Amino acid sequence: MSSKYKDLKQECYQANMELNALNLVIYTFGNVSAVDRDHGVFAIKPSGVAYEKLTPQDIVIVDFDNNVIEGSMRPSSDTKTHAYLYKHWKDIGGIAHTHATYSVAWSQAQRDIPIFGTTHADHLVADIPCAAPMQDDLIQGNYEHNTGIQILDCFKEKGLSHQEVQMVLLGNHGPFSWGPTAAKAVYNSKVLEEIARMAYLTLQINPDAPRLKDSLIKKHYMRKHGKDAYYGQE
Amino acid sequence: MSSKYKDLKQECYQANMELNALNLVIYTFGNVSAVDRDHGVFAIKPSGVAYEKLTPQDIVIVDFDNNVIEGSMRPSSDTKTHAYLYKHWKDIGGIAHTHATYSVAWSQAQRDIPIFGTTHADHLVADIPCAAPMQDDLIQGNYEHNTGIQILDCFKEKGLSHQEVQMVLLGNHGPFSWGPTAAKAVYNSKVLEEIARMAYLTLQINPDAPRLKDSLIKKHYMRKHGKDAYYGQE
Amino acid sequence: MSSKYKDLKQECYQANMELNALNLVIYTFGNVSAVDRDHGVFAIKPSGVAYEKLTPQDIVIVDFDNNVIEGSMRPSSDTKTHAYLYKHWKDIGGIAHTHATYSVAWSQAQRDIPIFGTTHADHLVADIPCAAPMQDDLIQGNYEHNTGIQILDCFKEKGLSHQEVQMVLLGNHGPFSWGPTAAKAVYNSKVLEEIARMAYLTLQINPDAPRLKDSLIKKHYMRKHGKDAYYGQE
Amino acid sequence: MSSKYKDLKQECYQANMELNALNLVIYTFGNVSAVDRDHGVFAIKPSGVAYEKLTPQDIVIVDFDNNVIEGSMRPSSDTKTHAYLYKHWKDIGGIAHTHATYSVAWSQAQRDIPIFGTTHADHLVADIPCAAPMQDDLIQGNYEHNTGIQILDCFKEKGLSHQEVQMVLLGNHGPFSWGPTAAKAVYNSKVLEEIARMAYLTLQINPDAPRLKDSLIKKHYMRKHGKDAYYGQE
């Protein structure tokens, strides 16, 4: 039985398996989605299915109002957060959510990750934001939908662009990341975890470690981004 | 030569091997048991046998009074603790004991693991209890039996339910976990180790990290448990 | 199509793959080069190519003035730093650059790694230097070329020999290492990462841990180096 | 060409390879020896040979006065320490030396490892001793021979038995362990590394963590050792 979403499911499946291969998740902790803007839907991991048992056929197709369009399984319990982000950030193509160890530790510590070095600056020029825990009435309400609101509010308050900062920590919870494709969203999850680990160690060695100075922040970002970029083959 | 406990031994064997595959043990540190309530016995790892040499035939069948019912090897030195728990908690199906690194570190630090985030709240809504080290007369007496008493006393004192909190740290020693099956007990050991690691890192980043607020604790637990649960496929 | 640099490319390719096998890099973080002094060129990893896709044919041949001599891909964005070091240190044969976790943490902490033990002293008899972050005008200028200047200035100020100290940390950035061959440069990267990790843990256990005393520093170095060396088979 | 030491070399070779398989060494850091008391010799790893290239034929046979009896390669640079220990501790059968990360960190911190829990007490009932760094005249003299003296002096001063405490840390350097066989010496190296890691984490979580109380120390040791031992199958 064929599906017009076969390729989308395959993309989503591969990105989820990559999350597992990169040691960013154990058991069923985490999920990745991939969007199809033309049809106004996204593909997402089914809820509570272990990676070693996951198949491309298990992937669920959902629209931006959280209706299941195709698939016999229940979609990820975080589906409404994905839907909210796709609806409001019209240029992103994939979203990843993990409970990766160091990213969660910073989330639980409720601290932004300071920009300490060029590994960080190669990817973004701001501290990685940690959104404050949600207010009680929002938690008791439509929780996962409100998680999306929480992320957008955080970006608005801090004056951040979701195109320049493709990752966020949710206080007490863990990281979300996104990008032009599902694969890039997973890449951003891995980079975030590595930056989180480096920043943790940096503070252990020197609690007064200074943030990277502005000139170096700009230089490293411009090597990879903008019109004069000279990193990579494109 | 067939045994009516063949399936039980196989279940126990697989759960023990999973402990090893999940990097929760080195050498012979750790053991898992699986119960057969109908026959009033449980299957447990033989004492001091390395995982790479373990076979399903080596698994020992023991009753709740610690008599060996079947098997030519000596059962785990922790057998009496398992028997005590099975005898008193009549609805559990499996028990796991490890010396996993972060779980042991919290046990040695003699600290409860605070509930810092949703990874923890997805599994239990209390701090993970650390039972106080045993009193001298109990240690000198029937030690492993008394370890069982120590665990039940801890749960009574703290007003905890063994159905809601399926794991405990023994002060100076290490973790025990349980669940409806041996596989679930092992799952709880792995989850405990990961929560222990995250909580350790959280305190290193922010020694004043707050406990998760009550509304979020309840929300995450209810996503997975209770009549309105919407996580997973059941 | 044959190339007179075939062996050089192969040496460079293998050293880059070794960086990956030793877990010193993720994705495209890092690069190794190998020099051919007779032809006045070096082979270096192309920019932004993932290790799993890298082939010996992709390796780029560059001269000491940063001209691409052979290869269809853009060379590593750090090429000018390599060129500068080859030009000024006429006896080195290979250079490695990574973003390995503990090495980066010390770089971000902007601290020299103190010589705490014999693992360190077996390889070098000084603290591992951390070069101060570059001045703003140098960053805005010819950045990677100036990184080379930054390294040489650091060695001059501290009175270090690049033959005796074959590694450096760049403040806010990460490590560079070198040696008589590309393979030895990679070896030095791995040793540096391990020393960085040991020194980090040492300070966590004892913030007042003393530097290794001079007599032991000299003894361990002399076991491996100098005319009376008695370590190894040569 | 056969050798009467073929089995001894094989035992030594396998124990060295096990050191590598257990992630206790990188490159050539570490060595294991196995003794043949009847012939008054021991087999030891050749100096500076990488584990992936090591063969049983490379193993060197040395007597207790450090004469090479068989083998074309130079023996480990630590050979004199092994010889000294074999000469004075007439009942040990194997010795292992590593630069394992956590063991080295405690050595560099120059701290005994406190007995914090039962993982430790299952193996020894004392803190793991850290021998003070050698005095300058001994370092400048017959260094590796004097390392043996340093270990014995440490045990004499602290009133320890090498049969009950089968491991030691050398200040600024790293661990030595021993046992009835080379395999058991390697086992002790692995256990030491794990205890070192757990103790490190324990102190990070609770800097005032108490030592294990005496009654528990004795109980756990007696489970595995002495006439009433009930751990394992013997």
Side-chain angles (χ1 to χ4, degrees):
Chain A
M1 198 182 76
S2 83
S3 157
K4 64 176 169 180
Y5 301 118
K6 199 181 163 198
D7 289 352
L8 186 66
K9 288 182 182 179
Q10 184 64 27
E11 181 194 353
C12 176
Y13 167 75
Q14 286 182 327
N16 273 286
M17 294 309 285
E18 180 73 359
L19 213 59
N20 192 35
L22 290 168
N23 291 316
L24 293 171
V25 289
I26 58 167
Y27 294 119
T28 63
F29 298 17
N31 45 73
V32 188
S33 66
V35 83
D36 175 342
R37 293 282 171 189
D38 291 340
H39 293 91
V41 298
F42 60 97
I44 193 164
K45 185 175 172 292
S47 182
V49 175
Y51 291 96
E52 54 268 35
K53 295 189 180 171
L54 190 66
T55 69
Q57 289 74 39
D58 295 334
I59 301 296
V60 187
I61 303 294
V62 185
D63 70 16
F64 299 163
D65 295 317
N66 302 298
N67 302 300
V68 172
I69 301 301
E70 192 176 300
S72 55
M73 302 187 96
R74 192 186 289 178
S76 164
S77 59
D78 295 306
T79 295
K80 289 181 183 174
T81 311
H82 292 246
Y84 190 88
L85 295 181
Y86 284 127
K87 209 166 182 173
H88 289 80
W89 291 343
K90 295 184 195 310
D91 52 358
I92 64 173
I95 297 171
H97 171 52
T98 79
H99 284 235
T101 313
Y102 290 87
S103 303
V104 166
W106 282 91
S107 301
Q108 295 189 155
Q110 300 188 22
R111 291 271 165 89
D112 295 350
I113 303 179
I115 180 167
F116 282 136
T118 61
T119 316
H120 188 137
D122 280 339
H123 296 91
L124 70 164
V125 297
D127 294 352
I128 297 171
C130 180
M134 224 178 272
Q135 290 191 347
D136 284 3
D137 54 336
L138 294 177
I139 291 168
Q140 284 147 18
N142 196 347
Y143 176 58
E144 289 79 9
H145 177 83
N146 293 340
T147 299
I149 295 180
Q150 183 190 14
I151 294 173
L152 261 74
D153 282 353
C154 169
F155 270 60
K156 191 180 286 181
E157 273 175 39
K158 293 180 188 262
L160 298 172
S161 150
H162 74 273
Q163 287 145 331
E164 297 196 348
V165 176
Q166 301 187 342
M167 52 191 75
V168 71
L169 303 174
L170 298 182
N172 288 136
H173 187 163
F176 274 84
S177 63
W178 50 88
T181 62
K184 194 67 199 301
V186 170
Y187 171 89
N188 283 331
S189 283
K190 179 70 177 177
V191 166
L192 167 52
E193 179 67 2
E194 185 60 16
I195 291 173
R197 192 174 165 216
M198 287 172 169
Y200 159 73
L201 293 168
T202 300
L203 284 180
Q204 297 294 309
I205 297 171
N206 182 2
D208 301 317
R211 286 177 85 258
L212 191 58
K213 53 186 192 169
D214 283 346
S215 54
L216 212 44
I217 291 175
K218 277 175 202 143
K219 182 66 189 185
H220 265 260
Y221 191 76
M222 290 306 160
R223 295 211 313 179
K224 279 203 172 182
H225 306 266
K227 69 176 178 60
D228 296 321
Y230 53 95
Y231 182 89
Q233 301 299 332
E234 290 133 45
Chain B
M1 198 181 73
S2 82
S3 157
K4 62 177 169 180
Y5 301 118
K6 198 180 164 198
D7 289 352
L8 186 66
K9 288 182 183 179
Q10 184 64 27
E11 181 193 354
C12 176
Y13 167 75
Q14 286 181 328
N16 274 286
M17 295 309 286
E18 181 73 359
L19 214 59
N20 192 35
L22 290 168
N23 291 316
L24 293 170
V25 289
I26 58 167
Y27 294 119
T28 64
F29 298 17
N31 45 72
V32 188
S33 65
V35 83
D36 176 341
R37 292 282 172 188
D38 292 339
H39 293 91
V41 299
F42 60 97
I44 193 164
K45 185 176 172 293
S47 183
V49 174
Y51 291 95
E52 55 267 35
K53 295 189 180 171
L54 191 66
T55 69
Q57 289 74 39
D58 295 334
I59 300 297
V60 187
I61 303 294
V62 186
D63 69 16
F64 298 163
D65 295 316
N66 301 299
N67 302 300
V68 171
I69 301 302
E70 193 177 299
S72 54
M73 302 186 97
R74 193 187 287 178
S76 164
S77 59
D78 296 305
T79 295
K80 290 179 184 175
T81 311
H82 292 245
Y84 190 88
L85 295 181
Y86 283 127
K87 209 165 181 173
H88 289 80
W89 290 343
K90 295 185 195 309
D91 54 356
I92 63 172
I95 297 171
H97 171 53
T98 80
H99 284 235
T101 312
Y102 290 87
S103 303
V104 166
W106 281 91
S107 301
Q108 295 189 157
Q110 300 188 23
R111 292 270 165 89
D112 295 350
I113 303 179
I115 180 167
F116 281 134
T118 62
T119 316
H120 187 137
D122 281 339
H123 296 92
L124 71 164
V125 296
D127 294 351
I128 297 171
C130 181
M134 223 179 273
Q135 290 191 347
D136 284 3
D137 54 335
L138 294 177
I139 291 167
Q140 284 147 18
N142 196 346
Y143 176 58
E144 288 81 9
H145 177 84
N146 293 340
T147 298
I149 296 179
Q150 183 191 14
I151 294 173
L152 261 75
D153 281 354
C154 169
F155 270 59
K156 190 180 286 181
E157 273 174 40
K158 293 180 188 261
L160 297 173
S161 149
H162 74 273
Q163 287 145 332
E164 296 196 348
V165 176
Q166 301 187 342
M167 52 190 74
V168 70
L169 302 175
L170 298 181
N172 288 136
H173 187 165
F176 274 84
S177 63
W178 50 88
T181 62
K184 194 66 199 300
V186 170
Y187 171 88
N188 283 331
S189 283
K190 179 69 177 178
V191 166
L192 167 52
E193 179 66 2
E194 186 60 15
I195 290 173
R197 192 174 165 218
M198 287 171 169
Y200 159 74
L201 293 168
T202 299
L203 284 179
Q204 297 295 309
I205 296 170
N206 182 2
D208 301 318
R211 287 176 85 257
L212 191 58
K213 52 187 191 169
D214 283 345
S215 54
L216 212 43
I217 291 176
K218 278 174 200 142
K219 182 67 189 185
H220 265 260
Y221 192 74
M222 291 306 161
R223 295 210 315 177
K224 279 203 173 182
H225 306 267
K227 69 177 177 59
D228 296 322
Y230 54 96
Y231 182 90
Q233 300 299 331
E234 290 132 45
Chain C
M1 197 183 77
S2 82
S3 156
K4 63 176 168 179
Y5 301 118
K6 198 181 164 199
D7 290 351
L8 186 66
K9 287 182 184 180
Q10 183 65 27
E11 180 194 354
C12 175
Y13 167 75
Q14 286 181 328
N16 273 286
M17 294 309 285
E18 180 73 0
L19 213 60
N20 193 35
L22 291 168
N23 291 316
L24 294 171
V25 289
I26 58 168
Y27 293 120
T28 64
F29 298 15
N31 45 72
V32 189
S33 66
V35 83
D36 175 342
R37 292 283 172 188
D38 292 340
H39 293 92
V41 297
F42 60 98
I44 193 164
K45 184 175 172 293
S47 183
V49 175
Y51 291 97
E52 54 268 37
K53 295 191 181 169
L54 190 66
T55 69
Q57 289 74 39
D58 294 334
I59 302 296
V60 187
I61 303 294
V62 186
D63 70 16
F64 299 163
D65 295 316
N66 302 299
N67 302 301
V68 171
I69 300 302
E70 192 174 300
S72 55
M73 302 186 96
R74 193 186 288 177
S76 164
S77 58
D78 296 305
T79 295
K80 288 182 185 174
T81 311
H82 291 246
Y84 190 87
L85 295 181
Y86 283 128
K87 207 166 182 173
H88 288 80
W89 291 343
K90 295 185 195 308
D91 52 357
I92 64 173
I95 297 171
H97 171 54
T98 79
H99 284 235
T101 313
Y102 290 87
S103 303
V104 166
W106 281 91
S107 301
Q108 294 189 157
Q110 300 188 22
R111 291 271 165 89
D112 296 349
I113 303 178
I115 180 167
F116 281 134
T118 61
T119 316
H120 188 137
D122 281 339
H123 296 93
L124 71 163
V125 296
D127 294 353
I128 297 171
C130 181
M134 224 179 271
Q135 291 191 347
D136 284 2
D137 54 335
L138 294 177
I139 291 168
Q140 284 146 18
N142 196 347
Y143 177 57
E144 289 80 9
H145 177 85
N146 293 341
T147 299
I149 296 179
Q150 183 190 14
I151 294 173
L152 262 73
D153 281 354
C154 169
F155 270 60
K156 190 181 284 182
E157 273 174 39
K158 293 181 187 261
L160 298 173
S161 150
H162 74 273
Q163 287 144 331
E164 298 195 347
V165 176
Q166 300 186 343
M167 52 191 75
V168 70
L169 303 175
L170 298 182
N172 288 135
H173 187 164
F176 273 84
S177 63
W178 50 89
T181 62
K184 194 67 198 299
V186 170
Y187 171 89
N188 283 331
S189 283
K190 180 70 177 176
V191 166
L192 167 53
E193 179 67 2
E194 185 60 16
I195 291 172
R197 191 173 165 218
M198 287 172 169
Y200 160 73
L201 293 168
T202 299
L203 284 179
Q204 296 295 308
I205 297 171
N206 182 1
D208 301 319
R211 287 176 83 257
L212 191 58
K213 52 187 192 169
D214 284 345
S215 53
L216 212 44
I217 291 176
K218 277 175 201 142
K219 182 67 189 184
H220 265 261
Y221 192 75
M222 290 307 160
R223 295 210 314 177
K224 279 204 172 181
H225 305 267
K227 69 177 178 58
D228 296 321
Y230 53 96
Y231 182 90
Q233 302 298 333
E234 288 131 47
Chain D
M1 198 181 73
S2 83
S3 156
K4 63 177 170 179
Y5 301 118
K6 198 182 165 198
D7 290 351
L8 186 66
K9 287 182 183 179
Q10 184 65 26
E11 180 193 354
C12 175
Y13 166 75
Q14 286 182 326
N16 273 286
M17 294 309 285
E18 180 73 0
L19 213 60
N20 193 35
L22 291 167
N23 291 316
L24 294 170
V25 290
I26 58 168
Y27 294 119
T28 64
F29 297 17
N31 44 73
V32 188
S33 65
V35 83
D36 175 342
R37 292 284 172 188
D38 291 339
H39 292 93
V41 299
F42 60 98
I44 193 164
K45 185 176 172 292
S47 183
V49 175
Y51 291 96
E52 55 267 36
K53 295 190 180 168
L54 190 67
T55 69
Q57 290 73 40
D58 294 334
I59 301 297
V60 187
I61 304 294
V62 185
D63 70 17
F64 299 163
D65 296 316
N66 302 299
N67 302 301
V68 171
I69 301 302
E70 193 176 299
S72 55
M73 302 187 96
R74 193 186 286 178
S76 164
S77 59
D78 295 306
T79 295
K80 289 180 184 175
T81 310
H82 291 245
Y84 190 88
L85 295 181
Y86 283 128
K87 208 166 183 174
H88 289 80
W89 290 343
K90 294 184 195 309
D91 53 356
I92 64 173
I95 297 170
H97 171 53
T98 79
H99 284 236
T101 313
Y102 290 87
S103 303
V104 166
W106 281 91
S107 301
Q108 294 189 157
Q110 301 189 20
R111 291 271 165 89
D112 296 350
I113 303 179
I115 180 167
F116 282 134
T118 61
T119 317
H120 187 137
D122 281 339
H123 296 93
L124 71 164
V125 296
D127 293 352
I128 297 171
C130 181
M134 224 179 271
Q135 290 192 346
D136 284 2
D137 53 336
L138 294 177
I139 291 168
Q140 283 146 19
N142 196 346
Y143 176 58
E144 289 81 9
H145 177 85
N146 294 340
T147 299
I149 296 179
Q150 183 191 14
I151 294 173
L152 262 74
D153 281 354
C154 169
F155 270 59
K156 190 181 284 181
E157 273 174 40
K158 292 181 188 262
L160 298 173
S161 150
H162 74 273
Q163 287 145 331
E164 297 195 348
V165 177
Q166 300 186 345
M167 51 191 76
V168 70
L169 302 175
L170 298 181
N172 288 135
H173 187 165
F176 273 84
S177 63
W178 51 88
T181 61
K184 195 66 198 300
V186 170
Y187 171 88
N188 283 330
S189 283
K190 180 69 176 176
V191 166
L192 167 53
E193 179 66 2
E194 185 60 16
I195 291 172
R197 191 173 165 219
M198 287 171 169
Y200 158 74
L201 292 168
T202 300
L203 284 179
Q204 296 294 309
I205 296 171
N206 182 0
D208 301 318
R211 287 176 84 256
L212 191 58
K213 52 186 191 169
D214 284 345
S215 53
L216 212 44
I217 291 176
K218 277 174 200 142
K219 182 68 190 183
H220 265 260
Y221 192 75
M222 291 307 161
R223 295 211 314 178
K224 278 204 173 180
H225 306 267
K227 69 177 177 59
D228 295 321
Y230 53 96
Y231 182 90
Q233 301 299 332
E234 288 131 48

